[in-house]
Amino acid sequence: MSDREPPAGAVPSATPSDAPGASGTASGPADSTARATFVKARRGSLLGAIFLMATSAIGPGFITQTAVFTQALGAAFAFGILASIVIDFVVQANIWRIVTVSGKRAAELANAAIPCSGYVLAALVVFGGLVFNIGNIAGAALGLNALLGLDPKVGGALSALLAIAIFLVRRAGMLMDRALVGLGLLMIVLTAVVAVLADPPVGEALRQTVLPDTVDFAMITTIVGGTVGGYITYAGAHKLLDAGVSGPEHVREVTRSAFFGIGVTGVMRFVLFLAFLGVVASGVTLDVAGNPAGDAFAAAAGELGMRLFGLVLWAAGISSVIGAAFTSVSFTSVFSARIEGRVRNWTTVGFIAVGTVSYLALGTAPAALLVFAGGFNGLILPIGFTVFMYVAWFRRDLLNGYRVPLWLRVAGVLVTVMSWYMGAVSFTAIFDFLAA
């Protein structure tokens, strides 16, 4: 494990043999209380990692992208949703194992495997996270505009200030965990309600999930980027490291957490897609240059639907601001070992502030920015994943002797090749989204 100082709110690592009260002597009431506190904190950290990944993967970018692409492809976009879930599964299952087993953050591990590659990866992830965070703040702003009628710039600034406040409190880690879990559950429940009201053609969606009439690689690359590209790839794994979960002895725990998180995001993605599909299938045309997701919620449930959309988008935006800032800044420690603890929290505050100022200064329409952000992060995905597949296949020495299962390594190679291909064929189209 690294000897770095954990940030505020992190839970120290402990195995069953060194956990409180695990000695050979009888445990007294104090030991039992300490053990219970440790278990509760560890469970909270695992849930925090799960929902950090899940809410980052279902941010305002994904919501807006899904509305835009469902309007364009209809039920055929179900294939894109399935592709994103399969790619997400392979990427997260590999990355969570590799990073936590090594005990090193992604950039540090990349540097150890291929000299200087970690610096390149960190620079790309931090820049991509900043681009995405501008979109996240824009999404939160759109949400408050729909919910309360606030001016988008005012709503964006207020949302950013709330995110900053979370990183400034003394127990930032615990507060972040609880906020992410609550916001994630809120999004799932509200979106499910709208999906039922939209009455989508479920049978047609299921058919086109496996037999699509149309396949658009630019759209798939963008939706993958919005759900597992850039910083999102490493969000859950870095959160686990900060919670003290590292080493081969935690593989089963890490795998369960990764699969649960992927399951949560998979259900949420399909539910959201079905909500939009029901509206599009009814003949409603969404304004893709304005607020397409809001149009869909309003068409499904009227004024209440617009308010629900505002709450869902704001929850997605603020949770993704937190996730993007936390994960992007966690990469900066590769440049300086001093960026830990309180210094790291203040750096995170600065990261959010830069994104907020950039959002307030940009004239780009929020919807276009949200779609472009996903596509840009989709282009980053194959670069980092290639490095970690090299580690999985050839650098067992960096994994403390652990061998990633063969089926997962083979699946990882296939996804790596696929992500490079999709990025190459859709590069120009992704930048065209920004001008849309």
Side-chain angles (χ1 to χ4, degrees), residues 264-288:
V264 170
T265 59
V267 170
M268 178 64 175
R269 288 174 202 174
F270 261 109
V271 169
L272 187 65
F273 162 69
L274 289 174
F276 293 145
L277 180 61
V279 172
V280 171
S282 70
V284 174
T285 299
L286 306 180
D287 179 12
V288 297

Short mmCIF file of all heavy atoms in Angstrom, two decimals, residues 264-288:
data_model
loop_
_atom_site.label_atom_id
_atom_site.label_comp_id
_atom_site.label_asym_id
_atom_site.label_seq_id
_atom_site.Cartn_x
_atom_site.Cartn_y
_atom_site.Cartn_z
N VAL A 264 -26.47 -1.06 -10.96
CA VAL A 264 -27.26 0.14 -10.69
C VAL A 264 -27.28 1.06 -11.90
O VAL A 264 -28.33 1.54 -12.33
CB VAL A 264 -26.69 0.89 -9.46
CG1 VAL A 264 -27.34 2.28 -9.33
CG2 VAL A 264 -26.92 0.10 -8.19
N THR A 265 -26.12 1.29 -12.49
CA THR A 265 -26.06 2.18 -13.66
C THR A 265 -26.77 1.58 -14.85
O THR A 265 -27.42 2.30 -15.62
CB THR A 265 -24.60 2.49 -14.04
OG1 THR A 265 -23.90 1.27 -14.34
CG2 THR A 265 -23.88 3.20 -12.93
N GLY A 266 -26.68 0.26 -15.03
CA GLY A 266 -27.35 -0.39 -16.16
C GLY A 266 -28.85 -0.22 -16.09
O GLY A 266 -29.51 0.12 -17.09
N VAL A 267 -29.42 -0.47 -14.92
CA VAL A 267 -30.87 -0.31 -14.74
C VAL A 267 -31.28 1.14 -14.99
O VAL A 267 -32.26 1.42 -15.70
CB VAL A 267 -31.28 -0.76 -13.33
CG1 VAL A 267 -32.73 -0.37 -13.04
CG2 VAL A 267 -31.11 -2.26 -13.17
N MET A 268 -30.52 2.06 -14.43
CA MET A 268 -30.85 3.48 -14.58
C MET A 268 -30.78 3.91 -16.04
O MET A 268 -31.64 4.67 -16.52
CB MET A 268 -29.87 4.31 -13.74
CG MET A 268 -30.07 5.81 -13.83
SD MET A 268 -31.67 6.34 -13.18
CE MET A 268 -31.51 8.12 -13.30
N ARG A 269 -29.80 3.43 -16.77
CA ARG A 269 -29.67 3.82 -18.19
C ARG A 269 -30.87 3.36 -19.01
O ARG A 269 -31.42 4.13 -19.81
CB ARG A 269 -28.39 3.23 -18.78
CG ARG A 269 -27.13 3.88 -18.28
CD ARG A 269 -25.91 3.15 -18.78
NE ARG A 269 -24.76 3.43 -17.93
CZ ARG A 269 -23.58 2.85 -18.06
NH1 ARG A 269 -23.38 1.96 -19.00
NH2 ARG A 269 -22.59 3.15 -17.25
N PHE A 270 -31.27 2.11 -18.82
CA PHE A 270 -32.41 1.61 -19.58
C PHE A 270 -33.71 2.29 -19.19
O PHE A 270 -34.56 2.59 -20.03
CB PHE A 270 -32.53 0.08 -19.43
CG PHE A 270 -31.93 -0.67 -20.59
CD1 PHE A 270 -30.75 -1.38 -20.43
CD2 PHE A 270 -32.53 -0.65 -21.84
CE1 PHE A 270 -30.18 -2.06 -21.51
CE2 PHE A 270 -31.97 -1.33 -22.92
CZ PHE A 270 -30.79 -2.03 -22.75
N VAL A 271 -33.88 2.55 -17.91
CA VAL A 271 -35.10 3.22 -17.45
C VAL A 271 -35.18 4.62 -18.05
O VAL A 271 -36.24 5.06 -18.53
CB VAL A 271 -35.13 3.29 -15.90
CG1 VAL A 271 -36.23 4.23 -15.43
CG2 VAL A 271 -35.35 1.90 -15.31
N LEU A 272 -34.07 5.34 -18.04
CA LEU A 272 -34.04 6.68 -18.62
C LEU A 272 -34.31 6.64 -20.12
O LEU A 272 -35.09 7.44 -20.65
CB LEU A 272 -32.68 7.33 -18.35
CG LEU A 272 -32.52 8.79 -18.73
CD1 LEU A 272 -33.44 9.67 -17.88
CD2 LEU A 272 -31.07 9.23 -18.55
N PHE A 273 -33.67 5.70 -20.81
CA PHE A 273 -33.90 5.54 -22.25
C PHE A 273 -35.37 5.25 -22.55
O PHE A 273 -35.96 5.83 -23.46
CB PHE A 273 -33.01 4.42 -22.79
CG PHE A 273 -33.45 3.88 -24.12
CD1 PHE A 273 -33.34 4.65 -25.27
CD2 PHE A 273 -33.98 2.60 -24.22
CE1 PHE A 273 -33.75 4.15 -26.51
CE2 PHE A 273 -34.39 2.10 -25.44
CZ PHE A 273 -34.29 2.88 -26.59
N LEU A 274 -35.97 4.36 -21.76
CA LEU A 274 -37.38 4.01 -21.98
C LEU A 274 -38.29 5.22 -21.76
O LEU A 274 -39.29 5.39 -22.47
CB LEU A 274 -37.79 2.87 -21.06
CG LEU A 274 -37.20 1.49 -21.40
CD1 LEU A 274 -37.56 0.47 -20.33
CD2 LEU A 274 -37.67 1.01 -22.77
N ALA A 275 -37.94 6.06 -20.78
CA ALA A 275 -38.74 7.27 -20.55
C ALA A 275 -38.72 8.17 -21.78
O ALA A 275 -39.76 8.66 -22.24
CB ALA A 275 -38.21 8.01 -19.33
N PHE A 276 -37.55 8.38 -22.36
CA PHE A 276 -37.43 9.22 -23.55
C PHE A 276 -38.06 8.55 -24.76
O PHE A 276 -38.69 9.21 -25.60
CB PHE A 276 -35.96 9.53 -23.84
CG PHE A 276 -35.31 10.41 -22.79
CD1 PHE A 276 -33.98 10.23 -22.45
CD2 PHE A 276 -36.03 11.40 -22.16
CE1 PHE A 276 -33.38 11.04 -21.50
CE2 PHE A 276 -35.45 12.22 -21.20
CZ PHE A 276 -34.12 12.04 -20.87
N LEU A 277 -37.90 7.23 -24.88
CA LEU A 277 -38.46 6.51 -26.03
C LEU A 277 -39.98 6.59 -26.03
O LEU A 277 -40.60 6.76 -27.11
CB LEU A 277 -38.01 5.04 -25.99
CG LEU A 277 -38.54 4.17 -27.14
CD1 LEU A 277 -38.04 4.70 -28.49
CD2 LEU A 277 -38.10 2.72 -26.94
N GLY A 278 -40.59 6.49 -24.85
CA GLY A 278 -42.05 6.58 -24.78
C GLY A 278 -42.54 7.91 -25.32
O GLY A 278 -43.55 7.98 -26.04
N VAL A 279 -41.83 8.98 -25.00
CA VAL A 279 -42.23 10.31 -25.46
C VAL A 279 -42.02 10.45 -26.97
O VAL A 279 -42.89 10.91 -27.69
CB VAL A 279 -41.41 11.39 -24.70
CG1 VAL A 279 -41.65 12.76 -25.30
CG2 VAL A 279 -41.78 11.38 -23.22
N VAL A 280 -40.84 10.03 -27.45
CA VAL A 280 -40.53 10.13 -28.88
C VAL A 280 -41.49 9.28 -29.71
O VAL A 280 -41.97 9.70 -30.78
CB VAL A 280 -39.07 9.72 -29.15
CG1 VAL A 280 -38.79 9.60 -30.65
CG2 VAL A 280 -38.10 10.72 -28.52
N ALA A 281 -41.77 8.07 -29.23
CA ALA A 281 -42.66 7.16 -29.95
C ALA A 281 -44.09 7.70 -30.04
O ALA A 281 -44.84 7.35 -30.95
CB ALA A 281 -42.66 5.79 -29.28
N SER A 282 -44.46 8.57 -29.11
CA SER A 282 -45.81 9.14 -29.13
C SER A 282 -45.95 10.26 -30.16
O SER A 282 -47.05 10.78 -30.36
CB SER A 282 -46.16 9.68 -27.74
OG SER A 282 -45.39 10.83 -27.44
N GLY A 283 -44.84 10.63 -30.80
CA GLY A 283 -44.88 11.66 -31.83
C GLY A 283 -44.33 13.00 -31.43
O GLY A 283 -44.28 13.93 -32.25
N VAL A 284 -43.89 13.13 -30.18
CA VAL A 284 -43.33 14.40 -29.70
C VAL A 284 -41.92 14.58 -30.28
O VAL A 284 -41.11 13.65 -30.28
CB VAL A 284 -43.27 14.43 -28.16
CG1 VAL A 284 -42.54 15.69 -27.67
CG2 VAL A 284 -44.67 14.36 -27.58
N THR A 285 -41.61 15.77 -30.77
CA THR A 285 -40.28 16.09 -31.27
C THR A 285 -39.54 16.90 -30.21
O THR A 285 -40.01 17.97 -29.80
CB THR A 285 -40.35 16.91 -32.57
OG1 THR A 285 -41.04 16.13 -33.57
CG2 THR A 285 -38.96 17.26 -33.07
N LEU A 286 -38.40 16.39 -29.77
CA LEU A 286 -37.62 17.06 -28.73
C LEU A 286 -36.72 18.13 -29.36
O LEU A 286 -36.18 17.94 -30.45
CB LEU A 286 -36.75 16.04 -27.97
CG LEU A 286 -37.49 14.84 -27.38
CD1 LEU A 286 -36.50 13.93 -26.66
CD2 LEU A 286 -38.57 15.31 -26.41
N ASP A 287 -36.56 19.23 -28.66
CA ASP A 287 -35.70 20.32 -29.14
C ASP A 287 -34.26 20.00 -28.75
O ASP A 287 -33.80 20.32 -27.66
CB ASP A 287 -36.14 21.64 -28.49
CG ASP A 287 -35.28 22.82 -28.93
OD1 ASP A 287 -34.49 22.64 -29.90
OD2 ASP A 287 -35.37 23.89 -28.30
N VAL A 288 -33.51 19.37 -29.68
CA VAL A 288 -32.16 18.91 -29.37
C VAL A 288 -31.18 20.07 -29.21
O VAL A 288 -30.09 19.90 -28.66
CB VAL A 288 -31.64 17.93 -30.44
CG1 VAL A 288 -32.49 16.68 -30.47
CG2 VAL A 288 -31.60 18.60 -31.81
#
